[in-house]
Amino acid sequence: MPAVTFDRVTVAVETDNTPEPKVLIDAVSLELTEQRIGVIGANGSGKSTVLRLVNGLVQPTAGKVTVDGADTVRNVRTVRRNVGFVFTDPLSQLVMPTGREDVELSLRRSVRNGTERRQAAEAALDRLGLLELADQSIYELSGGERQLMALAAVLAVNPSVLVLDEPSTLLDLRNRELLRRTLAGLDQQIIMSTHDLELALEMDRVLVIEEGEVVFDGGAAAAVDHYRMLCRDGLPAGKPR
Amino acid sequence: MSNTDTAVKNPISTGRRRWNATDLGLIAVFAALVAAAALVPGLAVNGFGVPITFQTLAVMLTGLVLGPGRGFAAVGLYTLLGLAGLPIFSQGRSGLGILAGPSAGYIIAFPIAACVVGWLATIVIRRTTKARALWFFLSAAVTSAVVVHSLGIVGIALNTKATLGQAFLSDLVFYPGDMVKNILAAVIAVALHRAFPDILVRRVRRSAAQPAKA
Amino acid sequence: MRGHGFLLANYVPGQSFIHRAPLALKFLLVFGCGLASFIVVDWRVSLAVLAGLCGLFLLTGAGLKKLWAAIRPLAAVLLVIGVFQWWMLGAPTAARIVLNILVCVVAASLLTATTPVQRLLDGVVRAAGPFKRFGADPERFALTIAIMLRSIPYIAGTFADVRDSARARGLERNPRALILPVFITSVAFARQTGEALAARGLGEAED
């Protein structure tokens, strides 16, 4: 497995309301080598920022992030070739009117020849069983099909790491299952944030993020327990019903 | 094709700092915004039966929000594609034929106006903190008088064999509506800068503060 | 989904001779129609050209529905222009103006209905190639065009929503509150698109 490392990474942003920059991620150090890594935590806890750091979409204010030794600031192009990113909403990710065209767009940088590119796109769509839907308007697809289409476009360029930001949040139960099965069949290293604790339980390692810090790091079952406890403790205590 | 030349060079090129993917997204979407504003009939149809569109509003807003470089690129891209044959000029017109018609001056003026008003907007943002809407409005009003209307009048005079005086009179009809649209553009620009504080302002500050190699 | 195929017919896979015609030729047709719109002075010529183009469009197998979908958003505006010009300049001139606009729209749709977007992009990249030495980046130029084309229906849709809500709520409302959402949504949309491109390694400058 490729190694993603965080070396005392801090992310802070300027805001108009406070004089001091707001700290989103606070001195996090990590070494991620497992194949399936889950990231859980409340909304606004910093999950998304952690994921975006892996792909260079967010750059550290201090510290550094590397993927297979490549620095996400200095070698951002290499990093983005190796790290595919799937967003929560596939419609913001699919920039072409049909899936096939979107997959071909992904391949434009790596495959210059038109015929080869078409064949590569065909193969990428076929791998996820999407050939029949390839020429439909992305607006005519179901949520799950769209998410798979976005996945196909990302996988087409063969990244070694796949980052997914709450990929199942907008999906219904059946589409979730479809996505889960597809992900289970992939060889890539997967780093995924999710609110779906069942999905989190299938991971090899789970990080719990709270207010910009990793508050738990370990096996899936223990992490989910920890997160459940955290959520209970955060609420006003023991009101009788 | 001399206009391809400028438009290809400018959207993508040589500025001090090369545009990133977000800049391309903004340029493309604002170009689409100008096109959509030209095509979708506005809130009302005036007494002459000419639909009021948001087009000049979109052009000014593009400059006010994106600044001179990206503003010019966005409106320039729109103009270039319209001249190449995409039916995106007002009322669905397109093609080089436009350049022989009465609206030629306005079409050519749009990218220049976006650039000029964008340049003025960066000055406003650097120098003022209060009453920005007023400054934005003044920038847009000056730009529309100096760039849009004057080139528009020249276009009418050249292409319809009207005298400059007649051209001036027929252009005058557009002034009241344009002033309203400039007010709107200024107010909306202020709101957009508040909603997306780094769209132009922090770019300026940050690129000034950042050392050459991060 | 609102506005899909708005203004320009989407690509329809096929094997007609128009599909197989060189891109440059199809572009010349569009370009020529744009030029001709001010050379042609007789509405009957415009009508003949329009009929010919519609015939070609049907030969591609894309169907009447696609053609109508492309024209429909303009129908109301064209009607208004037609009536207005008829009143001002007489029927023949009005017919010529409206028909010439339709000629341009159908010609552009003929191109987009028979050419996959990727082929169009390749064409733009090739055409912009000579400008590389001035610092232009044809790939990014083509990508920007593709994003723009994709965004027009989306934004036209938000404009239409605004118009509808204006009708529903009446015009006494503050116009800023009415149209501001269009621009907020558009900027947010632009940023999402930019982020998605960056994440996929597209659209960044190559040194």
Side-chain angles (χ1 to χ4, degrees):
Chain A
M1 278 297 124
V4 175
T5 63
F6 281 53
D7 184 12
R8 275 161 294 142
V9 174
T10 298
V11 178
V13 290
E14 286 179 53
T15 65
D16 289 343
N17 311 327
T18 52
E20 292 294 303
K22 191 179 164 209
V23 176
L24 300 180
I25 295 293
D26 198 0
V28 167
S29 293
L30 288 168
E31 186 166 351
L32 307 174
T33 49
E34 290 77 3
Q35 203 211 338
R36 273 148 220 282
I37 294 162
V39 180
I40 57 179
N43 293 325
S45 59
K47 287 196 308 280
S48 266
T49 313
V50 168
L51 297 185
R52 280 170 166 73
L53 279 163
V54 177
N55 173 280
L57 279 175
V58 170
Q59 304 199 324
T61 318
K64 72 176 189 174
V65 179
T66 60
V67 179
D68 271 344
D71 187 300
T72 58
V73 177
R74 244 173 291 149
N75 300 320
V76 69
R77 202 159 302 125
T78 317
V79 167
R80 287 196 177 140
R81 242 196 317 271
N82 291 335
V83 181
F85 199 106
V86 176
F87 292 82
T88 310
D89 181 1
L91 281 183
S92 72
Q93 171 153 14
L94 295 163
V95 290
M96 288 288 152
T98 68
R100 184 189 302 277
E101 283 168 317
D102 203 74
V103 175
E104 286 182 21
L105 178 74
S106 275
L107 291 161
R108 280 189 80 84
R109 275 267 153 106
S110 49
V111 188
R112 300 273 173 179
N113 177 300
T115 322
E116 285 173 30
R117 200 193 296 145
R118 266 188 294 284
Q119 287 164 352
E122 189 92 357
L125 288 159
D126 195 28
R127 225 172 299 148
L128 296 191
L130 294 169
L131 270 183
E132 275 177 31
L133 305 171
D135 293 308
Q136 272 190 38
S137 159
I138 53 169
Y139 298 108
E140 289 165 5
L141 302 177
S142 77
E145 291 164 346
R146 262 182 221 156
Q147 194 57 283
L148 289 185
M149 211 51 105
L151 192 59
V154 168
L155 290 175
V157 291
N158 243 325
S160 53
V161 183
L162 186 63
V163 178
L164 303 104
D165 188 6
E166 297 182 22
S168 62
T169 301
L170 300 176
L171 304 185
D172 62 23
L173 207 56
R174 166 190 284 234
N175 281 318
R176 250 177 227 204
E177 185 55 28
L178 188 65
L179 179 73
R180 197 186 62 77
R181 271 193 219 163
T182 309
L183 290 178
L186 295 178
D187 303 324
Q188 270 87 2
Q189 181 181 28
I190 291 178
I191 304 176
M192 173 170 67
S193 72
T194 183
H195 287 300
D196 182 347
L197 296 183
E198 272 178 60
L199 200 55
L201 281 172
E202 294 176 12
M203 300 289 128
D204 303 325
R205 174 179 172 188
V206 173
L207 313 174
V208 183
I209 313 274
E210 176 84 7
E211 293 184 354
E213 290 180 52
V214 179
V215 294
F216 188 92
D217 179 356
V224 168
D225 281 346
H226 187 91
Y227 180 52
R228 285 216 170 98
M229 205 176 63
L230 209 65
C231 294
R232 256 195 314 266
D233 292 350
L235 294 176
K239 274 191 189 154
R241 279 171 206 241
Chain B
M1 286 206 298
S2 61
N3 31 51
T4 321
D5 186 306
T6 50
V8 174
K9 247 191 319 185
N10 282 307
I12 313 302
S13 73
T14 48
R16 284 145 291 163
R17 175 185 155 277
R18 303 201 84 186
W19 288 329
N20 62 23
T22 305
D23 293 325
L24 293 197
L26 285 168
I27 290 167
V29 169
F30 272 84
L33 197 62
V34 178
L39 293 171
V40 176
L43 295 178
V45 170
N46 68 11
F48 293 102
V50 180
I52 296 171
T53 71
F54 290 117
Q55 184 172 32
T56 44
L57 188 158
V59 168
M60 287 300 169
L61 194 68
T62 302
L64 289 173
V65 173
L66 297 188
R70 293 176 299 173
F72 179 84
V75 182
L77 182 65
Y78 160 79
T79 310
L80 180 74
L81 292 187
L83 291 178
L86 203 64
I88 50 177
F89 289 142
S90 60
Q91 301 155 11
R93 291 168 306 160
S94 68
L96 276 190
I98 290 283
L99 292 182
S103 36
Y106 297 101
I107 299 273
I108 291 172
F110 284 156
I112 303 169
C115 182
V116 171
V117 81
W119 176 67
L120 292 171
T122 48
I123 295 176
V124 169
I125 285 175
R126 282 204 185 113
R127 302 270 170 90
T128 68
T129 47
K130 290 207 171 98
R132 275 197 186 147
L134 181 65
W135 287 109
F136 278 164
F137 166 70
L138 289 176
S139 309
V142 168
T143 307
S144 75
V146 174
V147 180
V148 180
H149 290 277
S150 54
L151 282 178
I153 290 168
V154 173
I156 295 175
L158 283 179
N159 285 343
T160 65
K161 294 165 195 78
T163 66
L164 273 179
Q166 288 166 324
F168 178 76
L169 285 179
S170 54
D171 172 75
L172 218 51
V173 186
F174 296 112
Y175 261 95
D178 259 16
M179 285 304 122
V180 174
K181 285 183 223 169
N182 283 336
I183 294 172
L184 269 175
V187 174
I188 291 168
V190 169
L192 284 180
H193 281 295
R194 209 176 300 136
F196 304 94
D198 55 345
I199 200 166
L200 183 61
V201 201
R202 284 222 189 98
R203 275 170 64 84
V204 174
R205 229 192 282 154
R206 203 182 280 162
S207 54
Q210 224 169 38
K213 275 195 177 171
Chain C
M1 183 61 196
R2 65 190 172 201
H4 191 64
F6 175 91
L7 199 63
L8 288 172
N10 284 312
Y11 175 63
V12 180
Q15 285 301 319
S16 74
F17 74 96
I18 304 163
H19 279 88
R20 282 176 282 131
L23 180 56
L25 198 67
K26 288 189 263 191
F27 176 72
L28 275 180
L29 178 75
V30 175
F31 197 72
C33 287
L35 264 179
S37 61
F38 80 104
I39 299 171
V40 174
V41 287
D42 192 327
W43 67 274
R44 279 161 299 197
V45 178
S46 304
L47 184 65
V49 173
L50 181 63
L53 286 173
C54 289
L56 282 179
F57 192 93
L58 292 181
L59 281 181
T60 65
L64 268 176
K65 244 173 95 183
K66 282 263 176 186
L67 186 59
W68 173 239
I71 296 171
R72 193 186 48 207
L74 283 174
V77 179
L78 288 180
L79 189 72
V80 172
I81 299 172
V83 171
F84 179 66
Q85 299 293 356
W86 188 359
W87 174 49
M88 295 295 289
L89 302 166
T93 314
R96 189 195 76 217
I97 290 171
V98 171
L99 288 171
N100 280 343
I101 293 174
L102 283 173
V103 162
C104 294
V105 175
V106 176
S109 279
L110 194 60
L111 172 77
T112 54
T114 59
T115 317
V117 177
Q118 299 301 319
R119 278 262 307 280
L120 272 176
L121 293 189
D122 289 338
V124 172
V125 170
R126 226 174 305 133
F131 299 104
K132 259 186 178 162
R133 78 188 107 116
F134 302 115
D137 182 341
E139 263 302 323
R140 301 211 299 152
F141 180 58
L143 182 65
T144 312
I145 292 178
I147 305 285
M148 176 195 169
L149 294 184
R150 168 217 189 217
S151 309
I152 294 177
Y154 176 84
I155 292 170
T158 54
F159 265 108
D161 287 352
V162 165
R163 198 186 41 202
D164 293 347
S165 63
R167 277 197 195 127
R169 294 191 288 190
L171 284 173
E172 75 285 353
R173 294 272 307 217
N174 177 358
R176 172 178 170 270
L178 266 176
I179 56 176
L180 188 57
V182 175
F183 298 104
I184 298 265
T185 323
S186 302
V187 174
F189 176 71
R191 295 209 144 179
Q192 273 179 3
T193 306
E195 194 182 36
L197 290 178
R200 289 165 70 176
L202 299 165
E204 300 282 346
E206 270 185 279
D207 328 284

